[in-house]
Amino acid sequence: HDDSWHSVPLSEIDFSRCRRCTPSYRALPRDYPNPPCTERSENEIQVLNDTWVSLPVGSEESYTFRHMRKNQFEEVLFRCEDMRFEIDMCIDSNAATLQRLTKIYDELQRLSETERVSKGTITRADVNGAGLGGKVYQYTLDGRVLGVIHKHTIKRIYGDDGEEMLKLCYKNPAIAIPIVVDRLRQKDKEWRAAKEALNRKWKDLTEFNYYKSLDHRSITWRTTDKRATSTRTMVAEIKDRAAHNGYEGEAVFNTRKDKAKEEHGAFYEVTMGSAIPRKLDLTNLPKPTRTLFTPHLSFTYCNNSWAQQDAYRIISFALEKGSASPVDKERCYKLWQDFLGPWFGLSLSWMQSPAVMYTPSMDPEDEACHENGGESANDDDGSNSFENNLSNDDDVKQEILKPAPTRYKNQGYFATKNHVPYPPDTLVSTVFGEAKIIQYIKDDGIYEVSYQSSATGFLRPNSVFCSLVPIDTSMLTDQLRSNDQENLEGPDDQIMIGTQPLYLFLRLHQVLIRRLGIANELARIVSKDKELGRHIELLTTGDDPNEEGKRYEAFLSLVYTLLDSGNSSSDASEGGKYEDRVRYLLGNHAYELTTMDKLISHILKNLQNMANDETLQNMIDIYRRHKSMGSFKPSAFREEAALLSEGENMFAFQICNMPETDQKIVHHEFLGCIAEGIEEDTPESD
């Protein structure tokens, strides 16, 4: 029967002998019946296609493409759509069958009226000769009246008895069809009422999952990010560029392009393939010294001023909450003090400002006394101005002294009775920057200090953070610098030579800075996009000009909460909650921010490796000597580093300020083992 064609899927039809229009379009077999279609206009008949079908050709028929995957929210939408389709099909097929059988039912009604009129002329003797049940006429149903859809509908409403009911419709329609029509009308009312109830449920599910379903990158982002930030990947990347004079190798470039096609789609190479850079264009950017750099890699730091501070706060918080030993924590903080802080432009007084803001807790019985007139130990002038550095002029800044609260004079951090003063000429860190102790006035409990600008000041002990290790002088450094006449191009440029942990730290730190910039930019976009109001979390009411800042600060709070909960097993699902909250806060494009905990964990790991690396500590000593002299000599730095590298693979770094912007750029160079080359070039001593 022709109807059997409609139950055959296209995948089982042999199109090899059918006509071919394009590589993916084939004509239906000649004996394939055209489906009935009425009420078409002449223009529709000329335009609409009833012959050609699209077939999968090649790899598009497989579902291995990364962009074909659906996230959990999209799966919910697809299930809702499937249920909508199923119930619509049931209702429409039921209505089509009801429409077909209603005409037959009406005809049977008219024939029954005719039979009752003519039946009055039949005598009692003729009744026994009448048809079934005393009927004069025996009706049968033509098999072509009901199509495949009608038959399936009848079978659906009667279940296991559907086949038997269908036979009765053909054998005795006068009895069966009125029963089937009543059943179809009953089901039509039930299904339409069920559809109305389900529509309300589907509407809620769609509104809840629609915006989340648009986030296709978060499915594969964790795997992609884990691969991109792994030690093996980052080391292999710079070594590959070192082997190709700063350019990405052909094999690595093709691999990256294939991964991009998997992630973004098969047409990525056609649309965006030419936009994949193999090397950063340094035409309009500060360039490194040619003595040390090709360069192999270059990365920019955008929003450097505030992003560096936020990154330091996050790393310090994670280090304090982490499982590192007190010795490792102290070494990490010393590393920030001696090298990382000056490298990124963070002042020592700013990094140690939380120590000034510390306030000891009070007992309940002393709170009333404190509120009635006691002054907080944080109210001194040094505490309120911990972010101010000493000016470059020779004016003397003298701190305004206030009497410390009696409760804190002889207790804990603010104790003066048992305070052990720093000896004279000790280099210390204060709220105004680095200074040198002149003397400690015991009667007044204050320090007299001198700063590098020849200014002097008087500070309480709680305004002096800690002692600093003085920079050791080296005759070798002085000699090598005197022989090197080269200077860096920028007055604020810095160079550093370090080991692999430093390279990994700087790469990961740049990723952290970039993601903080992404969070701030998304906060700005989301705050201005009113169409996202239904899909994201509302922090303010009305047009609040500070909504952008509040949204970004809320994101930082989520990061701190995630880091705090990550060190305890009290809430194993905190990571999932964090991802959902970030999406509600910053939208779907915040998928890169979902792995902040993993990124910070990698940063801390390399930070601890740096703190325990003796070779790197030698490099930091060289860095501090060059910085204290006001300039960096590339050749002298490299020669001295070669003598102390102990045969390890070394990396060179140069950080440059971009003029008139809040940006910096860091150039990376893989030097390899530089000790052997220096030893060969160095003449033997007598």
Side-chain angles (χ1 to χ4, degrees), residues 4-41:
S4 61
W5 272 107
H6 297 293
S7 61
V8 179
L10 292 178
S11 59
E12 297 182 8
I13 299 177
D14 184 13
F15 288 94
S16 60
R17 297 183 179 182
C18 298
R19 290 176 295 164
R20 180 176 178 178
C21 177
T22 65
S24 60
Y25 273 89
R26 297 293 182 94
L28 290 169
R30 296 184 182 277
D31 56 344
Y32 193 92
N34 288 328
C37 184
T38 59
E39 300 182 3
R40 280 189 180 180
S41 64

Side-chain angles (χ1 to χ4, degrees), residues 369-655:
C369 177
H370 177 72
E371 293 175 355
N372 291 332
E375 292 182 334
S376 172
N378 274 355
D379 290 339
D380 58 73
D381 200 38
S383 301
N384 293 333
S385 58
F386 62 87
E387 291 183 347
N388 299 326
N389 293 325
L390 197 62
S391 59
N392 295 328
D393 54 19
D394 294 334
D395 296 338
V396 177
K397 287 193 174 181
Q398 181 173 348
E399 184 186 16
I400 301 175
L401 302 179
K402 295 181 180 180
T406 306
R407 172 174 173 79
Y408 304 134
K409 279 189 175 181
N410 299 318
Q411 295 187 20
Y413 180 80
F414 299 98
T416 57
K417 179 179 180 181
N418 299 322
H419 175 69
V420 179
Y422 294 104
D425 297 331
T426 301
L427 188 64
V428 294
S429 173
T430 71
V431 292
F432 299 108
E434 295 184 11
K436 183 178 291 186
I437 299 293
I438 298 178
Q439 63 173 335
Y440 177 69
I441 305 175
K442 187 175 181 180
D443 295 338
D444 298 330
I446 59 174
Y447 283 102
E448 183 181 1
V449 297
S450 64
Y451 295 93
Q452 295 179 353
S453 60
S454 301
T456 60
F458 298 88
L459 302 175
R460 292 197 185 95
N462 63 345
S463 297
V464 180
F465 297 144
C466 64
S467 62
L468 301 177
V469 178
I471 301 175
D472 296 332
T473 58
S474 172
M475 295 181 61
L476 177 61
T477 302
D478 296 339
Q479 181 179 357
L480 293 175
R481 284 179 60 87
S482 63
N483 296 332
D484 186 4
Q485 302 302 321
E486 181 185 2
N487 290 316
L488 301 182
E489 181 177 350
D492 297 326
D493 293 358
Q494 305 177 67
I495 61 172
M496 177 64 181
I497 296 178
T499 53
Q500 180 174 304
L502 177 58
Y503 163 72
L504 297 174
F505 175 85
L506 292 179
R507 286 289 306 273
L508 295 172
H509 185 268
Q510 188 272 337
V511 175
L512 176 60
I513 296 294
R514 183 174 62 85
R515 293 187 183 176
L516 291 176
I518 291 174
N520 187 70
E521 180 66 16
L522 289 176
R524 183 187 64 82
I525 295 174
V526 169
S527 300
K528 295 182 178 179
D529 193 349
K530 304 303 181 183
E531 296 181 359
L532 295 178
R534 297 181 304 159
H535 307 294
I536 61 174
E537 185 175 357
L538 298 178
L539 296 182
T540 59
T541 57
D543 297 332
D544 188 351
N546 298 324
E547 182 179 356
E548 174 185 345
K550 292 179 180 179
R551 197 168 291 275
Y552 177 72
E553 291 296 332
F555 164 72
L556 292 181
S557 299
L558 290 179
V559 174
Y560 289 129
T561 303
L562 178 65
L563 296 176
D564 191 13
S565 63
N567 297 287
S568 62
S569 57
S570 59
D571 192 354
S573 62
E574 189 65 34
K577 294 180 180 178
Y578 165 78
E579 184 173 349
D580 292 338
R581 288 296 306 276
V582 169
R583 184 185 290 109
Y584 285 133
L585 194 65
L586 301 176
N588 283 334
H589 295 287
Y591 61 89
E592 290 190 53
L593 308 177
T594 58
T595 55
M596 290 288 286
D597 55 337
K598 303 297 182 183
L599 175 63
I600 296 170
S601 176
H602 293 331
I603 292 177
L604 289 182
K605 178 181 177 181
N606 287 284
L607 183 64
Q608 294 181 42
N609 292 338
M610 292 165 55
N612 295 305
D613 190 341
E614 295 183 1
T615 303
L616 181 61
Q617 294 301 322
N618 294 332
M619 302 297 111
I620 292 176
D621 291 338
I622 302 175
Y623 166 85
R624 296 182 67 194
R625 286 195 288 269
H626 278 256
K627 187 171 181 61
S628 65
M629 296 179 184
S631 64
F632 289 84
K633 301 289 185 178
S635 299
F637 202 120
R638 186 185 188 281
E639 291 180 16
E640 188 172 1
L643 299 175
L644 302 175
S645 62
E646 300 180 0
E648 294 189 30
N649 287 333
M650 306 301 290
F651 299 77
F653 312 93
Q654 180 171 341
I655 186 169

Side-chain angles (χ1 to χ4, degrees), residues 28-76:
L28 290 169
R30 296 184 182 277
D31 56 344
Y32 193 92
N34 288 328
C37 184
T38 59
E39 300 182 3
R40 280 189 180 180
S41 64
E42 294 183 0
N43 292 334
E44 291 173 341
I45 294 175
Q46 295 176 0
V47 174
L48 296 179
N49 167 46
D50 292 325
T51 305
W52 303 96
V53 294
S54 177
L55 301 176
V57 178
S59 59
E60 67 265 24
E61 64 183 342
S62 65
Y63 292 90
T64 58
F65 283 116
R66 192 67 59 86
H67 69 283
M68 292 293 295
R69 294 179 56 185
K70 305 181 184 69
N71 55 35
Q72 56 180 336
F73 310 104
E74 195 173 5
E75 290 286 355
V76 174

